[in-house]
Amino acid sequence: MIKNKELIDRFFRYVKIDTQSSEETGTSPSTAKQHDLAKVLYEELKEMGASDVYYDTEHCYVYARIPGDDRSPLGFIAHMDTSPAVTGKDVKPRIIENYNGEDFLLKTDEFPELLNHIGEDIIATDGTTLLGADDKAGVAEIMNLAEYLLTHKEVSHRPIHIAFTPDEEIGCGTDYFDAERFGTKESYTVDGGKLGIIEYENFNAASAHIHVTGKSVHPGSAKNIMKNASTLAIEFQNMLPAVEVPEHTEGYEGFYFLDSMKGDVEKAELSYIIRDHDAELFAARKENIKKITAYLNDKYGEGTFSAEVKDQYHNMADAMKDHMDLVENAMEAMKKVGVTPVNEPIRGGTDGAMLCENAGIACPNLPTGGYNYHGRYEYASIQEMEKSAEALIHIATM
Ligand SMILES: [Zn+2]
């Protein structure tokens, strides 16, 4: 049974607005249609009486504040865009009431997690689009928090600072984030999934581009002369540990991921991403790339291989050490809504990690109640959304 109909109505309203971002355009925001949701949120925040409501009409960010008691302000952030992977146009969300474990668009043998939702109400797609719970569930839950606090003035709470960002799905969500306007160093992103999971550890991340220069001669007279850049590239790849790849790792295990390769006899290129939660192991992985490069240059001649290794972002766990009350409060809030909190390492990055790194904002990630992101099988549990929203209120008032 739906308890917080306004929250669900809000969510439906937002997912029907197409805000798909794009990796192709190179603009900021990457797609103009993200403004369609930004405008709605801006108007709704003004209407409910939030303070300092600001719409960055150039780069598509929305900021607002809800004045509170004299404690330090607390931030909540969600992103407005949806994944470029699957269309977000004409989303037709539907509710499967009192889910009984039967197959619908989703089958339980493929998605056994569904069986945890028996008796709940599920929001699914019609199978032609994604749902957009990532992250409009988060947006709706933050808007619900704002509305609640503004209509319950008797409730004492920390000042709340809100930001809605574009282009998170293409890794550009914080490019034009105005940390000064946001005005707090303690925040949460509300962009997780399963209720109860709190995330504050993410990967250390680097990219590595390997360039191989070969020597092309006629294959008929190539003996002892030809250097085939493509086969040399394969040799490089084969020197990396075969099991330290995304498809064989989980939890805190790091990896090298060969994201793309191309080559002919004269030139070849390998593009990797390197990931590890542990700072020392991360450094060792980068060092390993350099060692292999040096070894192969020794073998085939200086300049045959070159490696460009660049850091992308770092684990926010280090910076979180002074702000563990954020994690503790979130865990306490989960208990208050009746779920056991779990800390799970993120096998990726978040906008929070970027904000932590670039603006010194401690920023763990909270759940929203959505599942199977970036695809047609995306769904959300209404009861988990309601509890996620309730948890935000607990956190704000702690
Ligand atoms: Zn997201």
Side-chain angles (χ1 to χ4, degrees):
M1 207 190 63
I2 301 173
K3 283 201 272 181
N4 188 343
K5 188 166 179 305
E6 269 154 62
L7 172 70
I8 305 307
D9 286 349
R10 210 179 260 297
F11 177 66
F12 272 50
R13 203 156 66 230
Y14 301 158
V15 297
K16 286 177 184 167
I17 302 170
D18 178 12
T19 56
Q20 188 180 32
S21 50
S22 165
E23 260 153 2
E24 317 289 308
T25 60
T27 56
S28 181
S30 66
T31 52
K33 58 193 176 186
Q34 294 180 65
H35 282 293
D36 297 345
L37 178 57
K39 276 178 221 157
V40 168
L41 296 174
Y42 171 70
E43 291 300 335
E44 288 187 2
L45 282 162
K46 276 205 308 190
E47 202 162 307
M48 60 174 83
S51 307
D52 303 298
V53 185
Y54 180 79
Y55 174 18
D56 173 354
T57 53
E58 190 184 356
H59 297 301
C60 197
Y61 289 75
V62 178
Y63 304 87
R65 293 182 181 186
I66 301 157
D69 55 31
D70 52 12
R71 286 179 293 168
S72 62
L74 182 63
F76 289 94
I77 301 167
H79 65 89
M80 297 182 284
D81 64 316
T82 62
S83 168
V86 174
T87 178
K89 190 170 183 288
D90 298 324
V91 173
K92 294 182 199 71
R94 59 199 172 110
I95 297 179
I96 295 145
E97 275 177 59
N98 196 5
Y99 174 62
N100 60 8
E102 271 175 25
D103 290 348
F104 54 109
L105 171 66
L106 283 73
K107 299 178 174 43
T108 53
D109 58 349
E110 258 178 281
F111 303 104
E113 176 93 27
L114 274 175
L115 296 170
N116 299 334
H117 301 292
I118 289 176
E120 296 176 5
D121 304 305
I122 288 177
I123 308 174
T125 70
D126 65 357
T128 64
T129 67
L130 49 64
L131 177 61
D134 178 12
D135 184 22
K136 287 162 186 169
V139 173
E141 286 155 17
I142 293 173
M143 290 296 280
N144 180 80
L145 169 71
E147 174 109 75
Y148 177 88
L149 295 178
L150 288 162
T151 51
H152 292 76
K153 304 267 185 198
E154 73 285 0
V155 175
S156 170
H157 61 87
R158 288 172 73 172
I160 301 300
H161 293 192
I162 292 169
F164 296 120
T165 61
D167 289 336
E168 189 270 353
E169 298 290 3
I170 59 165
C172 300
T174 62
D175 284 6
Y176 294 91
F177 188 89
D178 186 342
E180 210 164 302
R181 185 178 295 282
F182 188 55
T184 173
K185 296 282 185 199
E186 288 196 320
S187 183
Y188 297 93
T189 46
V190 187
D191 188 21
K194 184 183 164 83
L195 182 66
I197 295 178
I198 295 152
E199 300 165 312
Y200 68 95
E201 295 173 280
N202 60 280
F203 273 144
N204 294 295
S207 64
H209 294 282
I210 314 301
H211 297 267
V212 190
T213 309
K215 191 186 279 174
S216 178
V217 286
H218 189 282
S221 52
K223 190 168 182 181
N224 296 331
I225 306 168
M226 180 191 281
K227 275 201 285 184
N228 187 336
S230 290
T231 54
L232 294 183
I234 293 168
E235 187 171 347
F236 185 100
Q237 160 64 18
N238 286 343
M239 291 190 73
L240 290 169
V243 295
E244 294 177 18
V245 290
E247 61 269 41
H248 294 304
T249 49
E250 62 184 0
Y252 288 103
E253 296 165 338
F255 58 73
Y256 304 88
F257 170 44
L258 176 58
D259 188 28
S260 83
M261 62 186 295
K262 57 181 179 195
D264 51 28
V265 177
E266 288 216 306
K267 265 195 187 115
E269 266 178 61
L270 301 164
S271 293
Y272 293 92
I273 61 169
I274 300 167
R275 299 291 186 262
D276 211 298
H277 287 97
D278 184 274
E280 274 175 39
L281 294 176
F282 176 62
R285 284 183 193 286
K286 292 188 288 181
E287 193 51 41
N288 195 26
I289 294 282
K290 288 178 191 158
K291 273 189 201 155
I292 295 172
T293 305
Y295 168 81
L296 289 173
N297 273 336
D298 242 22
K299 189 171 170 186
Y300 293 107
E302 204 49 51
T304 310
F305 287 80
S306 72
E308 233 179 293
V309 181
K310 270 194 200 140
D311 276 18
Q312 294 170 309
Y313 54 84
H314 297 96
N315 190 346
M316 68 174 143
D318 254 1
M320 282 298 304
K321 278 185 190 129
D322 299 328
H323 299 278
M324 282 310 281
D325 53 320
L326 286 176
V327 175
E328 282 150 24
N329 287 355
M331 291 177 73
E332 193 56 40
M334 291 302 143
K335 286 183 201 155
K336 282 191 177 175
V337 299
V339 288
T340 310
V342 181
N343 289 322
E344 224 168 65
I346 308 168
R347 292 182 63 76
T350 62
D351 270 4
M354 297 303 289
L355 289 174
C356 192
E357 176 135 349
N358 301 329
I361 301 173
C363 208
N365 192 30
L366 297 174
T368 64
Y371 291 82
N372 292 348
Y373 289 167
H374 303 184
R376 295 165 210 279
Y377 299 118
E378 190 181 3
Y379 70 93
S381 153
I382 287 183
Q383 283 67 35
E384 288 200 12
M385 283 181 64
E386 288 174 342
K387 287 182 180 174
S388 299
E390 206 185 315
L392 297 193
I393 295 170
H394 286 305
I395 291 171
T397 52
M398 269 172 189

